[in-house]
């Protein structure tokens, strides 16, 4: 048989139920200081636990009104819950608040937004240290995928709607990448033999300059020169496929210019556009390091 609750327990339960609206009131006051991604319902649950603790610890003999005592307990419970869920160190949060306070103070004093140099001087930091602090603060922000990206109520776009899935590119982007890779394969195949061996060996087979130098019986500095020359040819030859130079019938003068035009024309005619956009060969090695050289 269950034990009948004492009058003290009944009074405590009634007090908790009576002051539940106080939890929402404190949550409303505290939540304005937190980012939008912080779940308000989580704050309310933490506040409710704080209210229960306040009801158990409250001593009327001290003369403090229960509502004031409970509000402090509720606020403390909410702050503790937020700190426990925040993976960023408190020192970083303190520094971020200092930056915000300084920015507001300078904006009021100057009548405009302060510059980076002015902010750094006011905080006793260098511009580089201030930028590094901004980077750390930005990396500490946690965004919810279901958070709306605009304040317009009619535009119900969430963060997950605008994120780019790199593993599933748009059809047009997939075709562009397929064409670029095809041009790259053709451009490498059209290089002079030594240049082609250096590019294939260095970027696709992972050979070192020393190994390539022994294989071609040249110095390492010559390997570096061949690699630079090949990259320049590849960049110019592939760029010509997109800027209209291949279709330009204007006569060119000079041996170097004719060689560049001939190389670009050879890339364009080596395979048809159907072959470049087909799925055949798309699983071949794709030298990301080589493409990064042109970024």
């Amino acid at each position: 048989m269950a034990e009948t609750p004492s009058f003290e327990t009944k009074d405590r339960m009634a007090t908790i139920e009576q002051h539940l609206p106080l939890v929402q009131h404190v949550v409303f006051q505290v939540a304005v200081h937190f980012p939008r991604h912080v779940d308000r319902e989580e704050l309310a649950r933490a506040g409710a636990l704080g209210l229960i603790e306040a009801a158990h610890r409250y001593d009327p003999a001290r003369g403090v009104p229960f509502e004031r005592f409970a509000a402090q307990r509720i606020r403390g419970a909410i702050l503790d819950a937020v700190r426990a869920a925040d993976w960023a160190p408190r020192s970083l949060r303190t520094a971020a608040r200092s930056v915000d306070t300084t920015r507001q103070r300078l904006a009021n004093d100057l009548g405009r937004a302060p510059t980076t140099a002015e902010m750094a001087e006011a905080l006793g930091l260098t511009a580089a240290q201030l930028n590094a602090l901004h980077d750390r603060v930005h990396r500490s922000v946690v965004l919810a995928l279901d958070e709306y990206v605009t304040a317009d109520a009619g535009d119900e776009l969430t963060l997950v709607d605008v994120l780019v899935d790199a593993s599933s590119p748009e059809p047009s982007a997939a075709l562009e990448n397929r064409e670029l890779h095809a041009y790259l394969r053709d451009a490498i195949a059209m290089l002079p033999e030594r240049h082609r061996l250096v590019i294939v060996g260095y970027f696709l087979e992972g050979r070192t300059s020393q190994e390539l130098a022994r294989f071609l019986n040249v110095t390492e500095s010559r390997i570096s020169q061949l690699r630079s020359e090949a990259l320049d040819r590849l960049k110019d030859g592939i760029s010509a496929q997109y800027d209209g130079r291949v279709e330009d019938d204007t006569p060119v003068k000079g041996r170097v210019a004719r060689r560049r035009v001939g190389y670009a024309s050879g890339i364009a005619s080596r395979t048809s556009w159907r072959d470049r956009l087909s799925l055949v060969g798309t699983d071949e090695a794709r030298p990301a390091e080589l493409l990064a050289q042109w970024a």
Side-chain angles (χ1 to χ4, degrees):
M1 184 175 181
E3 181 180 355
T4 304
S6 64
F7 286 105
E8 181 182 356
T9 302
K10 290 181 179 180
D11 291 343
R12 187 182 301 128
M13 293 175 62
T15 300
I16 292 173
E17 294 178 358
Q18 178 185 353
H19 289 85
L20 281 176
L22 178 62
V23 174
Q24 295 296 334
H25 178 69
V26 176
V27 168
F28 179 78
Q29 288 182 326
V30 174
V32 297
H33 301 289
F34 298 139
R36 289 187 300 172
H37 71 265
V38 177
D39 191 345
R40 271 47 178 176
E41 292 184 4
E42 291 289 343
L43 299 182
R45 281 191 283 270
L49 293 176
L51 174 61
I52 294 173
E53 182 186 5
H56 282 79
R57 293 179 177 272
Y58 178 64
D59 184 2
R62 295 185 177 181
V64 179
F66 177 78
E67 184 171 342
R68 183 188 306 171
F69 178 79
Q72 293 295 328
R73 289 286 178 175
I74 294 169
R75 180 183 178 87
I78 293 174
L79 295 178
D80 288 342
V82 172
R83 292 191 186 105
D86 188 6
W87 59 271
R90 293 185 63 181
S91 59
L92 179 60
R93 298 302 183 199
T94 301
R97 286 194 295 270
S98 177
V99 170
D100 290 338
T101 302
T102 302
R103 182 182 293 107
Q104 294 176 5
R105 177 174 58 82
L106 289 177
N108 292 332
D109 294 342
L110 300 173
R112 56 172 174 81
T115 64
T116 300
E118 291 168 340
M119 284 287 298
E121 182 179 359
L123 292 167
L125 303 173
T126 64
Q129 290 173 330
L130 180 59
N131 290 332
L133 177 58
H134 282 313
D135 290 340
R136 292 182 61 200
V137 172
H138 291 159
R139 287 196 300 269
S140 70
V141 175
V142 179
L143 300 178
L145 292 178
D146 59 352
E147 181 179 351
Y148 292 112
V149 297
T150 62
D152 188 359
D155 188 4
E156 297 184 352
L157 280 179
T158 60
L159 186 60
V160 73
D161 295 325
V162 299
L163 287 177
V164 177
D165 185 1
S167 62
S168 300
E170 293 290 330
S172 59
L175 288 175
E176 290 176 1
N177 286 333
R178 196 178 302 163
E179 182 183 49
L180 177 59
H181 293 144
Y183 277 138
L184 180 57
R185 289 192 295 271
D186 290 341
I188 292 175
M190 295 287 296
L191 285 173
E193 183 179 9
R194 286 201 166 192
H195 292 81
R196 183 174 67 254
L197 290 174
V198 169
I199 291 297
V200 172
Y202 191 87
F203 290 102
L204 301 183
E205 298 176 353
R207 297 189 182 186
T208 64
S209 297
Q210 187 177 16
E211 291 172 337
L212 291 171
R214 286 200 303 266
F215 177 70
L216 295 177
N217 195 26
V218 296
T219 63
E220 290 187 48
S221 60
R222 177 56 179 159
I223 293 296
S224 178
Q225 183 182 13
L226 289 171
R227 184 172 63 245
S228 298
E229 292 174 356
L231 288 174
D232 288 340
R233 288 195 183 192
L234 290 172
K235 179 179 180 180
D236 185 73
I238 294 178
S239 298
Q241 312 305 314
Y242 295 95
D243 59 17
R245 278 182 285 158
V246 175
E247 291 81 10
D248 190 358
D249 296 330
T250 305
V252 293
K253 298 180 180 181
R255 185 180 62 180
V256 175
R258 287 195 297 270
R259 186 177 61 187
R260 292 172 60 186
V261 171
Y263 177 63
S265 300
I267 296 173
S269 60
R270 190 171 188 273
T271 53
S272 67
W273 66 267
R274 288 186 177 87
D275 292 334
R276 286 194 293 271
L277 298 182
S278 68
L279 294 174
V280 178
T282 54
D283 291 333
E284 297 180 16
R286 295 170 180 175
E289 299 90 345
L290 184 60
L291 295 174
Q293 299 281 335
W294 307 338

